[in-house]
Amino acid sequence: MIHKKHIRCLLLPLLGTLLLFSLAHGDERAEKRKKIRYAINKGILTPYDIPFRHYAALDMWDEIDFILAANNGNAIMCKMPGKYYSRPYVISDRIWVFKNGETENAPVYVFDPASLRLADQLKNKQFQAYQGGIRTVINDHVIIAGGANTDVDMAVIWNTRTDEVRTLKLEAGHYIGAIAVEMGKLYIGSCGGKINVWDMDDLSFLGTYSTRPEETTDWDAFNRQACITGIHFFNNRLIGVGERDIFIWDIDRKNLVKTYEKALKNSLFCFFEGFIAEYKNDVFALSPLLTGDAEPDGIRVSKAENPIVDLQITPEKLLPNQKGPVIVMSMRHNMGMRFYDFNTLELLDKAPLRGDTLQVYQNRLFATDDQNIYRYDIRHKKSGPYREFLKTIAPDPAALTPELYQQLLKRACRYPHAISPNALSEKFLARCQLSLHHGFRYGKIGEQRLTDEAGEPYREEVFGYNLFYEIRNDSDQGRYITLKFDWGGEYGRENRTDASLSSATRTAFIPPHGGREAGHMVIGEKEPRQLFVYPLDITEMSAVYYQGLQRALGRGNQSLSLVNTYLRDKRLKKWHSELKKRKKSLSAESDK
């Protein structure tokens, strides 16, 4: 029996030969597209088996977009108003995001998980007055939060279906650090090494779990006790996590049965079944929770490529090659996400995805940063074939037609990690016999008005970075160029706003035979980490023709025929609106 993979091996060389032989025949392109799509749909070929040049020649940009999207998270992004947001929470089959920081008048944003469209904005003044950064969700509709500056010892419980709000205060300890619910009981951890417990129904107080047998009112002794910032339940044990130690209590008797050191002191962490995953800077550790008599062992420590912002463990299938639970990490400095096998700590994959705090739901990855929420679906990601496919996106400058350049530029602006806008720009400029040089220069960029202590105004010079650029035209025809500049980030700093690049556009006519055009623009006080410079459009025209265009657009022009001459030129579409305005003005004047 002949398998599909054998058919693939036989078809690939034949397919390439047929395409190269007959791509020029436009009448056959639709049929060739149909055959390729049939082979992909039947599994005879994969989308990665077709080189980019064949896709481009057949105008199969949907297939190219599928490959790029599948390997860049099929990303959907929604920009949030303001800054500083919580991790995504799953409540009632919706994604909820809370405002961190000042929350008194901030709504809770509710998103549809499939489309990431904003479905609702909810407000409850009592909840918003007392909610802090410590939150948990139970029964898919009850939110418990605490740690607000309004009252660091107050917890607030909001039933989002009935809009009922209840509050309670710590009976022991101070500063809420963790909240959890188990078997109808509410557990709240705090500094002072305390976990308070209430009945969830009537909020009757049921007692305290303590990290030390004797109580003290001495403030210095209190400060030496752990702040419980994590609570978990396993093997009929209550687990509390502090800065340095892990505490194990018997749930029923409330007695402390074990204390042992964390793998990484002062680390962040998350729980997964009977394990705790800790992370600090670029190091992460996975260890079993020691609820029995065993001594600490089985700790596995590994190192990530970059400092870790957030870490989650999920059994949901996120990757095509995933065989068990996976560890998902977001990297600092917008260095993307990493995916590790839970059982082996082997790096499974990496992706240039944005976001800091994470949530997994319905086999999709949700993330937030200071300003945005993202949804990613990477179940069709194929890292190896994708890398090989990207190597085929390397058109020679001579083959980079304006039409092909525009198609590639759309993808480069969306996926700059895959297709470099700067490299693409350099090739297209070379095809047009243009060259571009640019660089930053530090110096005075302006002045600001200030007021001294006596109330007298004065001016202060502002220093920062200017971008200087020069374009040279070595062709024998003049070129009118529209150049786009995108920049963002800051060298030496964690960059959290790369998704919103600053932009500027410049236009210039460059004479032939070594003609040059130079310019500069103010970038800002900080040197950016990213800079993309690329032409949006290059139009070939002589100096005389360009001068005539300027005359046609000028207020001194009274020749309607001159305007019509340039309106008939299809190359000048970007000037047509201005030319039509001038024509309308001249027609109105002639009617008078």
Side-chain angles (χ1 to χ4, degrees):
M1 186 174 72
I2 300 177
H3 293 285
K4 284 183 178 179
K5 64 179 182 179
H6 297 143
I7 296 174
R8 242 181 90 206
C9 294
L10 293 170
L11 277 181
L12 281 174
L14 179 60
L15 177 65
T17 302
L18 288 173
L19 285 168
L20 288 172
F21 178 74
S22 57
L23 282 178
H25 298 83
D27 294 342
E28 299 178 5
R29 296 170 73 199
E31 186 63 26
K32 295 189 190 317
R33 285 194 291 266
K34 183 178 178 181
K35 289 180 178 179
I36 290 174
R37 286 167 180 157
Y38 175 84
I40 291 173
N41 290 336
K42 292 296 183 180
I44 300 170
L45 298 174
T46 76
Y48 304 91
D49 291 329
I50 313 300
F52 167 80
R53 67 183 183 277
H54 295 335
Y55 276 137
L58 293 170
D59 284 331
M60 297 180 71
W61 294 100
D62 287 345
E63 282 72 16
I64 293 171
D65 288 340
F66 169 82
I67 292 172
L68 292 170
N71 289 275
N72 289 275
N74 284 294
I76 302 176
M77 184 192 84
C78 180
K79 188 174 180 62
M80 310 281 285
K83 289 187 175 182
Y84 310 121
Y85 292 92
S86 73
R87 75 168 62 254
Y89 290 83
V90 179
I91 303 174
S92 300
D93 195 35
R94 290 288 187 266
I95 302 298
W96 289 40
V97 178
F98 299 83
K99 186 81 165 65
N100 285 337
E102 297 298 325
T103 61
E104 188 172 349
N105 297 311
V108 181
Y109 298 95
V110 183
F111 295 90
D112 175 73
S115 64
L116 211 61
R117 290 177 181 170
L118 184 63
D120 206 349
Q121 297 184 47
L122 303 179
K123 283 190 175 183
N124 184 296
K125 289 186 177 180
Q126 191 175 1
F127 173 78
Q128 289 162 319
Y130 290 105
Q131 72 146 328
I134 312 301
R135 304 178 185 90
T136 194
V137 179
I138 63 168
N139 299 331
D140 211 31
H141 66 280
V142 176
I143 305 166
I144 309 169
N149 292 333
T150 311
D151 190 333
V152 296
D153 296 338
M154 177 80 76
V156 58
I157 304 166
W158 178 21
N159 186 319
T160 61
R161 291 180 182 170
T162 65
D163 214 32
E164 176 193 15
V165 171
R166 297 182 291 170
T167 59
L168 55 81
K169 294 197 70 168
L170 293 175
E171 297 287 341
H174 293 289
Y175 310 112
I176 292 174
I179 302 172
V181 175
E182 178 78 0
M183 301 294 290
K185 296 178 182 178
L186 170 61
Y187 297 80
I188 299 182
S190 67
C191 292
K194 309 295 183 188
I195 295 180
N196 293 236
V197 58
W198 293 263
D199 183 277
M200 192 64 212
D201 290 332
D202 59 13
L203 296 188
S204 57
F205 183 64
L206 301 178
T208 302
Y209 298 82
S210 179
T211 59
R212 56 181 293 164
E214 70 279 2
E215 300 302 323
T216 178
T217 57
D218 181 75
W219 192 248
D220 290 334
F222 172 85
N223 285 334
R224 288 194 295 270
Q225 298 306 303
C227 286
I228 303 299
T229 57
I231 297 174
H232 190 57
F233 307 90
F234 187 67
N235 280 349
N236 200 36
R237 294 288 191 257
L238 170 64
I239 296 108
V241 182
E243 300 94 325
R244 299 169 58 91
D245 298 307
I246 297 173
F247 306 93
I248 312 291
W249 289 273
D250 183 288
I251 290 182
D252 298 326
R253 297 178 180 178
K254 295 187 176 63
N255 60 304
L256 183 67
V257 296
K258 184 187 288 288
T259 300
Y260 63 96
E261 289 187 350
K262 294 166 65 178
L264 306 172
K265 293 179 177 61
N266 298 309
S267 60
L268 298 173
F269 56 89
C270 73
F271 298 105
F272 178 71
E273 297 177 351
F275 292 83
I276 180 171
E278 302 175 44
Y279 55 102
K280 180 180 179 181
N281 297 325
D282 59 350
V283 178
F284 64 100
L286 185 65
S287 53
L289 292 166
L290 304 177
T291 55
D293 297 328
E295 293 302 313
D297 62 358
I299 299 174
R300 293 177 288 158
V301 181
S302 189
K303 197 167 185 179
E305 296 174 336
N306 302 95
I308 303 165
V309 178
D310 193 22
L311 183 152
Q312 297 287 300
I313 304 174
T314 178
E316 293 197 31
K317 190 171 181 61
L318 294 178
L319 301 169
N321 61 334
Q322 181 181 334
K323 295 180 180 178
V326 65
I327 303 171
V328 188
M329 300 178 189
S330 60
M331 302 286 104
R332 200 176 297 168
H333 304 305
N334 268 325
M335 295 304 292
M337 310 256 182
R338 303 293 183 268
F339 303 87
Y340 289 83
D341 184 274
F342 172 79
N343 295 309
T344 65
L345 299 192
E346 174 190 356
L347 179 62
L348 296 176
D349 215 331
K350 60 178 76 174
L353 310 180
R354 297 183 181 278
D356 293 335
T357 52
L358 309 173
Q359 180 67 262
V360 178
Y361 181 58
Q362 294 180 340
N363 304 111
R364 294 179 175 91
L365 181 61
F366 296 84
T368 54
D369 58 21
D370 283 351
Q371 293 182 292
N372 307 289
I373 178 170
Y374 308 87
R375 194 216 73 178
Y376 301 112
D377 186 344
I378 53 177
R379 287 172 292 175
H380 301 288
K381 190 174 188 295
K382 301 281 188 180
S383 295
Y386 178 60
R387 285 193 296 269
E388 294 303 313
F389 177 78
L390 290 181
K391 293 177 183 177
T392 70
I393 308 179
D396 294 328
L400 194 57
T401 63
E403 295 77 16
L404 178 58
Y405 171 74
Q406 291 297 335
Q407 291 283 9
L408 278 172
L409 183 60
K410 291 178 187 177
R411 281 81 189 171
C413 291
R414 187 170 182 184
Y415 306 108
H417 295 89
I419 305 172
S420 166
N422 291 337
L424 180 64
S425 167
E426 185 178 352
K427 287 187 176 184
F428 189 58
L429 289 170
R431 180 187 185 276
C432 300
Q433 295 181 271
L434 296 170
S435 57
L436 170 68
H437 301 280
H438 57 76
F440 295 112
R441 188 179 301 170
Y442 185 80
K444 180 181 175 181
I445 59 173
E447 293 182 346
Q448 59 179 340
R449 293 183 179 182
L450 300 172
T451 305
D452 62 19
E453 294 180 358
E456 294 296 321
Y458 68 97
R459 293 177 180 269
E460 184 178 87
E461 292 183 337
V462 177
F463 290 84
Y465 288 87
N466 283 284
L467 175 66
F468 288 82
Y469 64 92
E470 181 184 81
I471 312 168
R472 177 187 171 100
N473 180 10
D474 290 311
S475 73
D476 56 4
Q477 290 291 331
R479 310 282 192 194
Y480 186 89
I481 185 170
T482 303
L483 206 60
K484 181 79 178 294
F485 300 82
D486 295 330
W487 67 90
E490 177 187 339
Y491 274 114
R493 286 281 188 93
E494 179 177 348
N495 184 32
R496 307 172 75 93
T497 56
D498 270 352
S500 302
L501 297 176
S502 300
S503 297
T505 304
R506 296 291 186 269
T507 58
F509 177 79
I510 311 164
H513 308 298
R516 300 169 185 262
E517 180 69 25
H520 75 280
M521 66 185 73
V522 174
I523 296 297
E525 295 183 49
K526 306 296 181 181
E527 183 177 3
R529 294 177 67 233
Q530 290 182 325
L531 173 67
F532 301 132
V533 186
Y534 50 90
L536 293 175
D537 182 74
I538 299 175
T539 304
E540 181 182 297
M541 64 178 71
S542 68
V544 173
Y545 196 73
Y546 176 71
Q547 291 164 6
L549 174 62
Q550 297 304 302
R551 285 197 305 274
L553 292 168
R555 290 188 175 182
N557 173 44
Q558 299 299 315
S559 173
L560 190 60
S561 64
L562 181 61
V563 174
N564 286 331
T565 297
Y566 286 100
L567 272 173
R568 286 192 293 268
D569 192 336
K570 294 181 179 180
R571 299 177 305 161
L572 307 182
K573 285 185 178 179
K574 58 179 169 288
W575 285 284
H576 279 187
S577 61
E578 294 180 54
L579 287 165
K580 287 177 181 178
K581 288 180 183 178
R582 188 61 191 145
K583 180 178 180 177
K584 185 177 180 180
S585 176
L586 288 172
S587 298
E589 290 175 11
S590 64
D591 290 342
K592 292 179 182 179

